[in-house]
Amino acid sequence: MSEPTVVTPGATGPTVVTCGADMLAEAVAGQAVGVERVDWRPPMPGTEADLAAVATDPRRPDANRRAVEAVLGVTATLVDVAPASEVLGLEPGQFLHAGPPIGWDRASGPLRGALMGGAALEGLVADPEDAVALFESGSSVSLEPCHHRSAVGPMAGVVTPSMWMWVLEDGTTGRRTYCSLNEGLGKVLRYGAYGPEVLARLRWMGEVLGPLLQASTRAVVAESGPVDVTGILTQMLQMGDEAHNRNRAGTLMLLRDLAPAMVASGADAGFDGSDVAQALRFVGGNDHFFLNLAMPACKLALDAGRDIPGSTMVVAMARNGTDFGIQVSGTGDEWFTGPAQVAEGLFLGDYGPDDANADIGDSAITETAGIGGFAMATAPAIVRLVGGSVPDALATTRRMHEITLAENPRWSVPVLEFQGTPTGIDVSKVCRTGILPQINTGMAGRVAGVGQVGAGLVTPPAEIFPQSLAALAARTPGAGA
Amino acid sequence: MKDHVELRPGAYADSVTLLQVSRAVQATPGVVAAQVAMATGLNLEVLAGMGFDVPGSSPNDMVVALRLDDDAELGAALAAVDAALVPTRPGSGDSRVAPPRTTGSALRHAGPGAVALVSVPGASATVEAMDALESGHDVMVFSDNVPVAEEVALKTYAATRGALVMGPDCGTAVIDGVGLGFANTVRPGRIGLVAASGTGCQQLLALLHHAGEELAAHGTDGVGVRHALGVGGRDLSAAVGGLATREALRRLDADADVDLVVVVSKPPASEVADALATEADALGTPVELGLLGPGQRDLTAVAEAVLARLGHDAPQWPVAGAHNTGAATGPLLRGLFVGGTLCDESMLMATEALGPIRSNIPLADDLALAPDELLVGAHTMVDFGDDALTQGRAHPMIDPTLRNEQLARAAADPATGVLLLDLVLGHGAEPDPAAGLAPAIAAARADRPVPVVVSLVGTDLDPQGLTAQRDALVAAGAEVHLSNAAATRRALDLLSQLEAS
């Protein structure tokens, strides 16, 4: 018989995680037991009942596990470059744009500017200014979100039939996503500029850059198979890119893969050495060039997680310059929208907050997939560009783990002990913690034609998360019974 | 006088912490009244009742309401608020590694044996508990006011994972000697408890501990408790159907270090009790069922049966202060409890002797007392730990204000013959509960020497010290028992003497 003493909890005793009254945590700690205290706060107002309904939805745990596995299971590869008219079936007068659906009447300045430039590029009007009447009448033109055609568009995201698109494919399922070619910075169509130099550059991209990239991509695919874009993302995250506002390493790795083929096949495609040199100079001089591959790679992964009943995972975040919208796996194609916010950050030249348009673009697809603002810790070189400090960057990535379902083992952050990036935003965790997804973004000028005015940080409007949670709760098996 | 009211959006602390903060600030020189609370509907009513004018707020705002002497410094009072709030968030000062914000996040890197203890407001408890179950951990849900449908959903999910949901409204558990919630420190042994009753569990822990110590003093060891698994007061109701009890029994049956299992419960649904008896018979480990109800044994008799099964005689259950007790001062029995099961046990016993007892947790619906009229011209027993009386405020084991007020009122009522009280010790309870109850008893008896019988549930290893607590109550004029059944019997005796005289 042992001495009748108090049980002394030690290595064999349980560790206790406490959530709630601190007094109970103190009582456990007072027994020399390891206690981890949750820093609990009340959820977003009015969400308690919906949170409980969704938490006890018997489908949810497995649905979210399947959604995450599907997203993490996708390897995005570059298989082709082709005009939107061919790969998206886009016809004259049809325009794609970023974000949730919107009409000309509510379109912001940069979206209007890009549409006007796009109309001129397609020859629907001679002068971009004439396009205003065209879009106001609406009789021969139509607007549709890029997301509805398996595409994503940075900033205004305007896509017209003659624009060349990257074509990414999931080799396992054959599913494809698309994105236009990046035009560079400053006065560019996606920021709403439509001056002659903007149109001239777009025409060169259509006549030279697009066909050259098509020829070289097809040559690489034929020779060594599709280019592993997900793999490039893995490497660039370790090289200081977060793949939203910084894509320098990714751009150069892409060039490494395509440049020899551009040189070799350029002649076959009818381009001389100076064309090839100009194309290489354009791509190499545009640090954002790879963004337009990162975005469709993220969409390809997230689309795999769509339409799983019971899943609370966000599969798209997108803005049209007026509204910020999200789509959630368990609620199909429904958009939950609220007013887009103006980013906080740094401004170019003498632009200031009054010059900036509300948040715009499909590029938040990168954050939705766990990079961009979610991977800030891996990109200390740009934290000041987007208005933060290095400790802020580490804290941001850690904070995003509080609202996500998983970590991406392929995309890891060296400075956080190679922890995977936070992946799969959970609507219910956002509502529980009040922590909003952190997005790195560029800022477009408020007025059509201005172009980029800055870059910074932004979050979605909080109310769209309780909205989507309520829709999920309404779809639980017990709802309405 | 001058009032200062401010809202602090985004600040949060739990109700117990804010109670302590309010008390600390009230003690600041120049502060006449202080209420620091979350702006819930109930708290706004309290603030309005105190005469504070609170601007438009959401329940997620913290309200700091101060009433100051005319010459008092507001700055000093606010500094006292901030100082009192600071220690409530350990770790949050470190911006580099912020503390986890959800139970799931805290458990992400926890070892397999980790247990979650959830005590957030009932409307948010299910979500946190699901986090624990999803990551493969057991959870104790201390929170009350959790809808029964959510309890069923939690326990149904847990059953598919072999996880244990203790609660909701589970006040007490002891796992491998570690007390969770309100738990007594007890000698270790080979008894396993399953409890659909927090204070019922504590009563058994206290009695078995005492018996074990007595036996050990005479050279016999072996009586002690290995685990006490709470399952929540509704587990044996028809709606929940004993889902957690079943899992707890399975665990204890599989534990080679458990020789005897004891189930203790508030009055269960009869069909659930029958099913439980059948299942218990099928286990390899013997099971002693201690299910309260009309005609059933009281908890002390259950403890004695456990001792008998282990081959021991029951000891003399201790009583102190018997010299204090004079004759009953009126015809009616007034029971004022912090422990719901102790209240149930006393009601069952008193009903046999006195007939129907009015209560806020009545044995029959037509005996119900509304929360705002607890003193009527009949025998009454009140459970101050009941959900209706704890909504928006702390449990009476932490905040005894309501019961102490009612104690004064009941003692002053000329019809009151005997007061029957409980006081529960252990981890989680007040550090010195007798310091609040003893003066209240003394004050009540100063005007009318009404006999006060107290069941003091605790062990000599509890942080409060059983002896010191007992002595304080005896000095205030109470008769103190370890056994609630014995205390109840004593109160009934005193009343019957009045009837006989």
Side-chain angles (χ1 to χ4, degrees):
Chain A
M1 284 287 140
S2 61
E3 277 300 296
T5 51
V6 190
V7 170
T8 311
T12 56
T15 339
V16 180
V17 166
T18 62
C19 183
D22 203 49
M23 177 205 78
L24 296 179
E26 290 296 328
V28 176
Q31 301 172 69
V33 176
V35 177
E36 173 138 44
R37 297 167 211 232
V38 175
D39 184 16
W40 185 85
R41 319 282 175 90
M44 288 184 177
T47 58
E48 286 94 341
D50 289 338
L51 281 170
V54 168
T56 53
D57 181 347
R59 303 169 305 172
R60 183 188 48 84
D62 188 52
N64 277 343
R65 191 182 49 72
R66 279 163 54 211
V68 164
E69 278 175 8
V71 168
L72 296 180
V74 170
T75 297
T77 59
L78 170 62
V79 293
D80 201 2
V81 183
S85 56
E86 278 178 33
V87 289
L88 298 180
L90 215 56
E91 291 174 10
Q94 292 184 324
F95 293 80
L96 302 186
H97 64 83
I102 192 167
W104 174 262
D105 54 327
R106 294 181 66 245
S108 63
L111 178 51
R112 287 185 172 196
L115 288 167
M116 289 155 66
L121 180 70
E122 296 301 318
L124 301 178
V125 290
D127 183 330
E129 303 286 349
D130 298 339
V132 174
L134 182 72
F135 286 105
E136 276 176 353
S137 81
S139 54
S140 58
V141 292
S142 66
L143 305 186
E144 188 183 3
C146 294
H147 267 291
H148 294 188
R149 296 235 190 174
S150 300
V152 271
M155 301 309 288
V158 167
V159 177
T160 61
S162 70
M163 288 183 186
W164 287 69
M165 310 293 283
W166 295 111
V167 181
L168 274 64
E169 185 176 282
D170 174 9
T172 311
T173 61
R175 281 187 309 104
R176 291 185 165 197
T177 52
Y178 310 89
C179 187
S180 57
L181 309 180
N182 194 287
E183 315 158 73
L185 286 177
K187 290 220 179 286
V188 287
L189 189 80
R190 73 176 186 282
Y191 278 97
Y194 52 74
E197 76 277 23
V198 175
L199 295 177
R201 188 188 306 112
L202 287 171
R203 291 201 175 97
W204 172 80
M205 289 169 71
E207 287 158 12
V208 179
L209 183 65
L212 253 177
L213 289 172
Q214 181 183 62
S216 55
T217 298
R218 286 178 176 177
V220 168
V221 170
E223 200 171 300
S224 51
V227 178
D228 183 351
V229 175
T230 303
I232 294 179
L233 281 162
T234 301
Q235 296 175 62
M236 61 194 278
L237 286 172
Q238 309 238 334
M239 296 165 77
D241 284 353
E242 41 66 281
H244 187 172
N245 269 22
R246 183 178 156 101
N247 287 276
R248 178 170 288 185
T251 298
L252 296 176
M253 278 188 280
L254 179 72
L255 263 189
R256 183 189 60 179
D257 286 348
L258 295 186
M262 283 168 79
V263 173
S265 53
D268 299 342
F271 298 103
D272 62 21
S274 70
D275 287 331
V276 175
Q278 192 184 0
L280 289 172
R281 201 178 299 116
F282 177 79
V283 174
N286 175 5
D287 286 343
H288 284 65
F289 197 73
F290 189 80
L291 174 63
N292 293 35
L293 288 121
M295 286 173 55
C298 290
K299 179 167 174 64
L300 193 60
L302 287 160
D303 279 358
R306 279 181 180 265
D307 299 321
I308 299 177
S311 170
T312 56
M313 191 181 77
V314 176
V315 293
M317 296 197 288
R319 318 84 102 195
N320 57 33
T322 303
D323 314 309
F324 191 118
I326 57 172
Q327 291 177 311
V328 178
S329 177
T331 52
D333 292 334
E334 190 174 347
W335 286 98
F336 304 94
T337 61
Q341 318 283 302
V342 174
E344 285 183 27
L346 298 179
F347 291 89
L348 304 175
D350 56 359
Y351 290 122
D354 291 345
D355 301 311
N357 194 74
D359 194 22
I360 186 168
D362 287 334
S363 57
I365 196 74
T366 55
E367 278 82 8
T368 319
I371 51 180
F374 282 43
M376 272 300 272
T378 208
I382 57 149
V383 293
R384 268 184 265 175
L385 171 70
V386 292
S389 67
V390 171
D392 288 342
L394 299 180
T396 298
T397 293
R398 287 194 168 115
R399 195 164 64 246
M400 293 304 104
H401 282 290
E402 294 286 349
I403 57 168
T404 46
L405 292 163
E407 294 172 8
N408 187 329
R410 271 198 287 200
W411 295 345
S412 67
V413 180
V415 74
L416 293 181
E417 298 287 355
F418 295 93
Q419 183 182 22
T421 60
T423 301
I425 300 167
D426 181 345
V427 163
S428 62
K429 288 185 180 177
V430 173
C431 293
R432 284 168 66 180
T433 61
I435 296 172
L436 295 172
Q438 186 65 62
I439 295 163
N440 290 351
T441 191
M443 279 186 268
R446 206 161 45 77
V447 176
V450 167
Q452 185 175 17
V453 298
L457 302 175
V458 74
T459 57
E463 63 263 34
I464 59 181
F465 294 95
Q467 265 180 44
S468 57
L469 181 75
L472 287 163
R475 285 168 165 82
T476 55
Chain B
M1 298 286 175
K2 54 187 175 189
D3 281 5
H4 171 82
V5 177
E6 66 178 59
L7 294 177
R8 299 186 175 183
Y12 174 78
D14 65 77
S15 60
V16 179
T17 298
L18 291 174
L19 184 79
Q20 290 162 343
V21 168
S22 299
R23 276 187 194 163
V25 176
Q26 266 161 22
T28 309
V31 175
V32 179
Q35 183 77 359
V36 183
M38 301 307 292
T40 59
L42 192 97
N43 287 332
L44 290 176
E45 272 177 39
V46 170
L47 285 159
M50 294 170 75
F52 284 112
D53 193 14
V54 182
S57 58
S58 100
N60 289 1
D61 298 336
M62 187 186 287
V63 186
V64 176
L66 304 172
R67 182 162 297 142
L68 305 173
D69 283 341
D70 288 326
D71 50 351
E73 293 280 339
L74 177 62
L78 288 175
V81 173
D82 292 335
L85 280 169
V86 164
T88 65
R89 296 219 168 281
S92 64
D94 185 352
S95 63
R96 281 163 190 272
V97 182
R101 292 288 297 277
T102 62
T103 301
S105 159
L107 285 166
R108 198 172 277 177
H109 303 292
V115 178
L117 168 51
V118 173
S119 58
V120 297
S124 293
T126 296
V127 175
E128 302 297 328
M130 268 307 287
D131 274 7
L133 299 176
E134 265 185 84
S135 50
H137 296 275
D138 294 341
V139 61
M140 169 165 165
V141 184
F142 184 89
S143 317
D144 55 11
N145 292 304
V146 174
V148 69
E150 291 178 21
E151 174 173 351
V152 172
L154 281 173
K155 289 179 172 175
T156 304
Y157 180 71
T160 68
R161 316 260 317 197
L164 180 63
V165 180
M166 296 177 271
D169 201 8
C170 174
T172 301
V174 179
I175 298 174
D176 241 338
V178 177
L180 301 179
F182 299 130
N184 304 95
T185 310
V186 294
R187 65 195 335 276
R190 302 179 65 85
I191 300 170
L193 294 183
V194 181
S197 139
T199 45
C201 180
Q202 289 192 275
Q203 170 78 94
L204 276 183
L205 288 172
L207 294 172
L208 292 172
H209 174 84
H210 176 79
E213 296 288 293
E214 293 276 299
L215 288 165
H218 294 93
T220 308
D221 204 0
V223 173
V225 172
R226 176 160 167 74
H227 301 296
L229 306 177
V231 292
R234 288 188 305 219
D235 195 65
L236 294 177
S237 68
V240 185
L243 282 167
T245 300
R246 203 165 294 142
E247 172 62 19
L249 283 175
R250 189 189 66 73
R251 298 261 181 114
L252 294 175
D253 189 37
D255 188 336
D257 292 326
V258 171
D259 293 341
L260 177 64
V261 174
V262 186
V263 180
V264 57
S265 170
K266 292 178 188 178
S270 60
E271 69 273 25
V272 181
D274 292 346
L276 177 64
T278 309
E279 273 181 52
D281 280 344
L283 296 181
T285 313
V287 179
E288 183 72 35
L289 293 179
L291 311 178
L292 288 181
Q296 301 296 314
R297 292 174 303 181
D298 58 59
L299 295 169
T300 304
V302 172
E304 288 167 355
V306 168
L307 292 168
R309 276 183 100 137
L310 295 171
H312 305 296
D313 291 334
Q316 198 71 31
W317 302 114
V319 52
H323 58 277
N324 281 329
T325 319
T329 52
L332 297 180
L333 177 61
R334 308 286 192 202
L336 305 173
F337 290 87
V338 300
T341 304
L342 301 177
C343 185
D344 265 332
E345 180 182 53
S346 294
M347 272 199 291
L348 288 162
M349 295 175 69
T351 303
E352 285 181 20
L354 305 174
I357 310 285
R358 300 289 303 276
S359 174
N360 65 328
I361 55 163
L363 296 177
D365 290 345
D366 58 338
L367 299 173
L369 285 177
D372 54 351
E373 44 138 33
L374 298 176
L375 192 70
V376 295
H379 301 296
T380 54
M381 295 218 186
V382 178
D383 169 21
F384 286 89
D386 184 52
D387 283 9
L389 295 176
T390 58
Q391 214 147 21
R393 67 185 306 145
H395 193 276
M397 285 191 210
I398 303 160
D399 177 6
T401 319
L402 275 186
R403 182 171 71 165
N404 285 350
E405 284 170 4
Q406 188 67 14
L407 171 58
R409 225 169 284 139
D413 176 11
T416 299
V418 179
L419 283 167
L420 179 59
L421 308 174
D422 62 350
L423 191 66
V424 185
L425 307 182
H427 294 289
E430 277 192 283
D432 185 6
L437 186 59
I441 291 173
R445 281 173 52 85
D447 297 332
R448 285 180 74 237
V450 51
V452 175
V453 184
V454 180
S455 47
L456 175 61
V457 175
T459 76
D460 54 358
L461 301 176
D462 280 334
Q464 295 88 350
L466 183 69
T467 312
Q469 294 292 308
R470 186 189 62 206
D471 292 350
L473 295 175
V474 168
E479 178 179 318
V480 182
H481 293 253
L482 182 65
S483 154
N484 184 58
T488 308
R489 229 166 260 129
R490 172 69 166 153
L492 294 171
D493 273 353
L494 290 168
L495 272 183
S496 69
Q497 286 166 25
L498 178 80
E499 281 165 23
S501 64

